[in-house]
């Protein structure tokens, strides 16, 4: 049950009891983050979020819906809805742009595995330094 979050009007939220560094909110079907003073740190622009800013070193995956067109065997173009993922740090800074098919964050929040649609996989640290470059592993 600890993973369940209740979405409620801002007037009903107890900001003093909320221990998260940044608090997610939803506005017009998009997600953003605010601080305990109810200042918007990250505007509501993401379609998906995975994770919470439980600690000052937390990283959270954020995603955007995007359409991708593919030519079918009959020559017609079919558009599919995909997700592109990125990573925010607890200051609200986007440290990885939303352009990846998959993003995995290590348990200690220090390393990020990125899967790019064309380039393949890479491993970076939370500062963006490449640990394993694209093309080494598939």
């Amino acid at each position: 049950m600890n993973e369940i979050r209740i979405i409620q009007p801002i007037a009903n939220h107890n900001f003093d009891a909320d221990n998260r560094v940044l608090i997610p909110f939803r506005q017009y079907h998009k997600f953003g983050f605010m601080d305990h003073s109810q200042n918007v740190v990250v505007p509501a622009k993401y379609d998906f979020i995975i994770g919470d800013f439980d600690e000052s070193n937390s990283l959270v995956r954020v995603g955007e819906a995007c359409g991708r067109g593919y030519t079918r065997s009959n020559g017609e173009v079919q558009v599919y809805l995909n997700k592109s993922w990125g990573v925010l740090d607890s200051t609200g800074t986007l440290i990885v742009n939303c352009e990846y098919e998959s993003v995995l964050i290590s348990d200690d929040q220090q390393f990020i595995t990125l899967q790019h649609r064309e380039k393949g996989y890479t491993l970076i640290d939370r500062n963006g330094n490449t640990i394993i470059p694209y093309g080494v592993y598939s």
Side-chain angles (χ1 to χ4, degrees):
M1 293 293 286
N2 289 339
E3 295 81 29
I4 295 176
R5 298 283 186 228
I6 302 296
I7 298 175
Q8 59 187 349
I10 193 169
N12 297 342
H13 186 73
N14 184 347
F15 283 88
D16 294 330
D18 196 325
N19 296 338
R20 294 174 287 182
V21 178
L22 293 179
I23 301 162
F25 68 91
R26 188 166 184 166
Q27 182 180 37
Y28 304 116
H29 304 289
K30 300 283 186 173
F31 291 98
F33 295 88
M34 64 177 58
D35 62 20
H36 286 267
S37 299
Q38 300 179 35
N39 297 313
V40 173
V41 177
V42 177
K45 65 180 192 173
Y46 297 106
D47 297 304
F48 315 99
I49 57 172
I50 298 177
D52 271 315
F53 290 113
D54 293 324
E55 300 174 4
S56 61
N57 74 328
S58 294
L59 299 174
V60 168
R61 288 175 280 179
V62 292
E64 298 174 345
C66 57
R68 298 216 190 275
Y70 299 95
T71 305
R72 299 178 62 160
S73 60
N74 64 4
E76 293 181 12
V77 174
Q78 180 73 42
V79 177
Y80 296 93
L81 183 63
N82 290 323
K83 298 173 185 167
S84 292
W85 294 98
V87 179
L88 284 174
D89 69 13
S90 62
T91 67
T93 302
L94 186 66
I95 62 171
V96 173
N97 290 327
C98 291
E99 61 184 70
Y100 296 93
E101 186 172 356
S102 174
V103 172
L104 300 171
I105 300 170
S106 64
D107 290 341
D108 64 0
Q109 309 286 297
Q110 296 302 310
F111 301 99
I112 305 166
T113 302
L114 304 171
Q115 180 187 6
H116 192 274
R117 284 174 177 80
E118 287 93 34
K119 299 177 189 176
Y121 292 89
T122 187
L123 177 70
I124 64 172
D125 66 16
R126 66 180 296 125
N127 299 315
N129 300 311
T130 300
I131 307 300
I132 299 173
Y134 287 110
V136 173
Y137 297 104
S138 59

